[in-house]
Amino acid sequence: MRYTFYTLLLVTSLFFSTVMQNDSCRSSKTDPKTMSKKSTATTTPSPEAPPGSDQLPAGVWGGMHVILEVTDRDASLQFDCAHGVISGPISLDKDGNFDVPGTYVSEGPGPIHEGQEQGSNSHYSGTVRDGAMTLKVRLDNSDVKGDFSLALGKSGKIWKCS
């Protein structure tokens, strides 16, 4: 009887510790459908841009409600219920500021059929210092979609619409 009790206690503890490690509320650190396999497997920071470089360092930048995957050619963004693209490198001025055009696509629940996805022209602006970024997302019609804080090498945390 005592052996059964301790076994049950051990199994129950292991079960709850395993279940509690999973995120709740259907949160996702990355969305495997829209982010490349490289970004979901890599959370270590890329080397910092060399001194005097005027381009945003490549790698995954993440924060609450946003994931930014930067390459030396372009960038893709994931938000809670949206995604975006910056077609081209992100150039920084001498103070670490940037303002680049891109697209912003709102997402909603349910499937989206090919050709129905409607994006908006947008501007992504912010400042980068010491591996930290502030990011403002603004549509061309001046609607501000959000202000975000990101860090190089962090995977970010988003909640996708379903």
Side-chain angles (χ1 to χ4, degrees), residues 25-47:
C25 299
R26 297 186 51 220
S27 68
S28 171
K29 291 190 177 188
T30 56
D31 183 8
K33 295 176 189 169
T34 55
M35 298 295 282
S36 71
K37 289 183 182 179
K38 178 182 172 189
S39 70
T40 59
T42 305
T43 59
T44 57
S46 299

Side-chain angles (χ1 to χ4, degrees), residues 92-109:
L92 304 174
D93 69 11
K94 63 180 174 54
D95 297 321
N97 300 314
F98 65 93
D99 188 349
V100 293
T103 59
Y104 181 91
V105 180
S106 294
E107 300 170 356

Side-chain angles (χ1 to χ4, degrees), residues 15 70 123:
F15 173 76
V70 178
H123 274 79

Side-chain angles (χ1 to χ4, degrees), residues 8 17 20 36 63 72 95 122 124 140 156:
L8 182 60
S17 67
M20 298 307 283
S36 71
D72 47 343
D95 297 321
S122 61
Y124 297 95
D140 277 354

Side-chain angles (χ1 to χ4, degrees), residues 16-142:
F16 280 110
S17 67
T18 303
V19 169
M20 298 307 283
Q21 287 180 358
N22 293 329
D23 289 332
S24 63
C25 299
R26 297 186 51 220
S27 68
S28 171
K29 291 190 177 188
T30 56
D31 183 8
K33 295 176 189 169
T34 55
M35 298 295 282
S36 71
K37 289 183 182 179
K38 178 182 172 189
S39 70
T40 59
T42 305
T43 59
T44 57
S46 299
E48 290 291 325
S53 173
D54 63 348
Q55 190 168 325
L56 182 65
V60 175
W61 296 74
M64 290 303 294
H65 311 290
V66 63
I67 300 168
L68 169 64
E69 183 179 0
V70 178
T71 69
D72 47 343
R73 292 179 310 278
D74 58 12
S76 61
L77 298 106
Q78 291 293 317
F79 303 98
D80 286 348
C81 289
H83 64 272
V85 173
I86 298 171
S87 298
I90 300 174
S91 297
L92 304 174
D93 69 11
K94 63 180 174 54
D95 297 321
N97 300 314
F98 65 93
D99 188 349
V100 293
T103 59
Y104 181 91
V105 180
S106 294
E107 300 170 356
I112 297 174
H113 300 286
E114 191 172 325
Q116 286 185 332
E117 192 174 78
Q118 294 185 2
S120 300
N121 291 329
S122 61
H123 274 79
Y124 297 95
S125 59
T127 304
V128 178
R129 287 196 182 87
D130 300 324
M133 176 192 301
T134 58
L135 173 68
K136 177 178 265 190
V137 180
R138 182 174 29 88
L139 299 184
D140 277 354
N141 65 7
S142 298

